[in-house]
Amino acid sequence: MSGRRLGLRKRLALGIFSDLHAAKVEEHRLDTLFWECTLRCNLSCRHCGSDCRVDPGVADMPLPDFLKVLDEEVTPHVDPSQVLIIFSGGEVLVRDDLEEAGREVTRRGYPWGMVTNGMALTERRFRGLLDAGLRSISVSLDGFEDEHNYIRGNPHSYDRALQAIRMIVREPSLASDVVTCVTGAMIPQLEAFRDMLLAEGVSHWRLFSIFPMGRAKHDPTLRITDEQFRTLMEFIRRTRREGRIDASYACEGFLGGYEAEVRDHFYECAAGVTVASIRVDGAISGCTSIRANFHQGNIYRDRFWEVWERRFAPFRDREWMRTGACADCRMFRYCQGGGMHLRDDDGSLLYCHYKRL
């Protein structure tokens, strides 16, 4: 029953972790910077929170604009080797200059990684990215062929993603993981899918469930029931105990008794605390999943480091979230109102993982 209730030992551990998180907030040392380099995409996925498309009507951010921020606003204040730059989108591989971007970031001493759907990751492109200093990569694979292609809306998407994964797992210099959006159709197939990933040589697997944003807001076929959500937690916990693959639930929300059993750590939202992003239009925010309502500035009119140091109050002091379902919740000390990406336009909570459990 540990997934249902918080025992005394876990409450004590969560209390200590909460204090450590408060110290981390006070320090807010930047360790991850997302660059949303494009909103263009070669797929049109049913669950896309950004509503990306082939022509999104938003221009890619020019590489020199991002590098200027690094040179003038970030590098003087950090040890570049301790800050991971993550290229995100859209689909990053639609940019022809991605290798150049990687080389420039590497030349400045930053490790960098990327998130991809794998559609355009050819062997030649992969080698070029490795030569440009690629250190980590996440590939989306949302189930077996039928399930994945249904979500991604392309009959070739499963094969391309699987080909990409097969290239990646053979490269020992690269940190990588497979990211899976779990829908109701996948719940009965989780064990078989895990065994397939193991057979392919995958060692790190991150799972998440749909939250009602973007295109997914009006697509009930992507959602899972509360009972299925608990089944997912039990599956991850059991898989972690078996130890054959490093499976974890994504940084989506507080999970009650499942805390520290389905992840390597207790829940915390690092957005605006250790994680920042520069959006495709220059907006400065936490992570790229967070709504525009919480943008803290823009590189085209503000100085990034000044924004990082002096703003981000909604991210670092979560007392404003003590309304609605969170007002009297005994778990607020531990979850701090949940992930920022789960807040609506007016700041209302869209989705509570703890309540589902």
Side-chain angles (χ1 to χ4, degrees):
M1 296 293 288
S2 60
R4 191 179 297 274
R5 297 191 180 93
L6 279 173
L8 177 60
R9 290 178 62 184
K10 190 165 287 186
R11 284 181 181 270
L12 291 172
L14 279 165
I16 294 170
F17 187 80
S18 296
D19 293 339
L20 292 173
H21 180 73
K24 191 181 293 186
V25 170
E26 182 69 23
E27 182 183 13
H28 53 266
R29 181 175 65 87
L30 182 68
D31 63 24
T32 305
L33 177 60
F34 284 88
W35 178 35
E36 186 182 61
C37 60
T38 183
L39 282 184
R40 291 184 293 138
C41 191
N42 48 17
L43 292 174
S44 182
C45 304
R46 288 177 175 268
H47 67 324
C48 183
S50 302
D51 200 23
C52 299
R53 57 192 74 234
V54 174
D55 181 9
V58 179
D60 295 354
M61 178 181 286
L63 176 58
D65 293 5
F66 176 68
L67 295 177
K68 181 180 180 182
V69 175
L70 277 189
D71 292 340
E72 298 180 5
E73 293 294 316
V74 181
T75 302
H77 304 282
V78 303
D79 174 356
S81 68
Q82 300 302 307
V83 179
L84 175 65
I85 308 292
I86 300 178
F87 298 166
S88 71
E91 169 51 47
V92 295
L93 288 172
V94 302
R95 285 190 65 131
D96 295 333
D97 64 348
L98 201 65
E99 290 83 352
E100 179 187 357
R103 285 191 296 270
E104 290 297 329
V105 167
T106 299
R107 186 168 66 83
R108 288 160 170 79
Y110 292 92
W112 67 276
M114 56 182 276
V115 183
T116 180
N117 59 36
M119 280 289 290
L121 192 63
T122 63
E123 182 77 34
R124 181 176 180 180
R125 197 92 201 262
F126 183 50
R127 292 300 152 194
L129 292 165
L130 289 171
D131 291 343
L134 178 65
R135 300 273 286 275
S136 69
I137 186 168
S138 295
V139 180
S140 298
L141 191 67
D142 298 319
F144 291 111
E145 185 170 8
D146 287 347
E147 291 74 28
H148 181 87
N149 288 347
Y150 173 75
I151 291 176
R152 299 289 163 171
N154 185 298
H156 306 294
S157 59
Y158 176 82
D159 288 340
R160 298 278 181 83
L162 192 55
Q163 288 169 17
I165 290 166
R166 287 168 175 165
M167 281 191 291
I168 289 164
V169 297
R170 295 199 302 266
E171 180 51 57
S173 68
L174 201 56
S176 66
D177 66 354
V178 167
V179 184
T180 299
C181 162
V182 180
T183 60
M186 273 303 296
I187 293 294
Q189 305 183 71
L190 285 170
E191 293 194 5
F193 189 65
R194 175 201 60 203
D195 293 344
M196 186 275 287
L197 293 179
L198 281 165
E200 293 291 349
V202 174
S203 56
H204 299 278
W205 183 25
R206 191 157 31 109
L207 303 94
F208 71 100
S209 51
I210 286 293
F211 55 95
M213 301 284 280
R215 295 189 194 123
K217 187 173 183 178
H218 304 292
D219 192 340
T221 67
L222 301 177
R223 300 173 200 163
I224 58 178
T225 66
D226 292 350
E227 181 181 358
Q228 289 172 327
F229 186 59
R230 178 174 291 280
T231 298
L232 173 60
M233 294 300 106
E234 290 291 339
F235 167 77
I236 296 174
R237 181 165 64 177
R238 185 169 64 251
T239 296
R240 288 173 63 85
R241 287 176 175 174
E242 291 171 359
R244 293 186 295 154
I245 187 171
D246 179 20
S248 65
Y249 190 68
C251 56
E252 290 284 286
F254 179 72
L255 299 170
Y258 288 106
E259 286 297 319
E261 296 185 29
V262 295
R263 300 189 188 101
D264 294 337
H265 51 76
F266 290 120
Y267 169 75
E268 63 178 340
C269 180
V273 177
T274 60
V275 176
S277 68
I278 296 175
R279 307 298 295 266
V280 70
D281 61 356
I284 301 167
S285 187
C287 78
T288 56
S289 296
I290 296 170
R291 303 173 78 83
N293 305 55
F294 299 105
H295 289 170
Q296 299 299 295
N298 192 291
I299 64 167
Y300 294 115
R301 64 172 183 267
D302 303 301
R303 298 187 68 82
F304 174 87
W305 198 256
E306 183 175 316
V307 172
W308 177 252
E309 285 294 303
R310 299 184 182 180
R311 302 188 194 178
F312 281 91
F315 292 78
R316 296 171 187 166
D317 182 356
R318 301 293 190 89
E319 284 301 310
W320 65 269
M321 292 185 175
R322 282 189 186 268
T323 59
C326 297
D328 301 314
C329 183
R330 294 177 297 172
M331 298 296 112
F332 190 88
R333 179 190 177 191
Y334 309 135
C335 80
Q336 292 289 294
M340 290 287 289
H341 68 294
L342 298 177
R343 294 281 157 175
D344 207 345
D345 289 335
D346 62 357
S348 300
L349 185 64
L350 288 166
Y351 185 100
C352 177
H353 293 72
Y354 178 69
K355 183 178 180 180
R356 297 201 73 179
L357 295 168

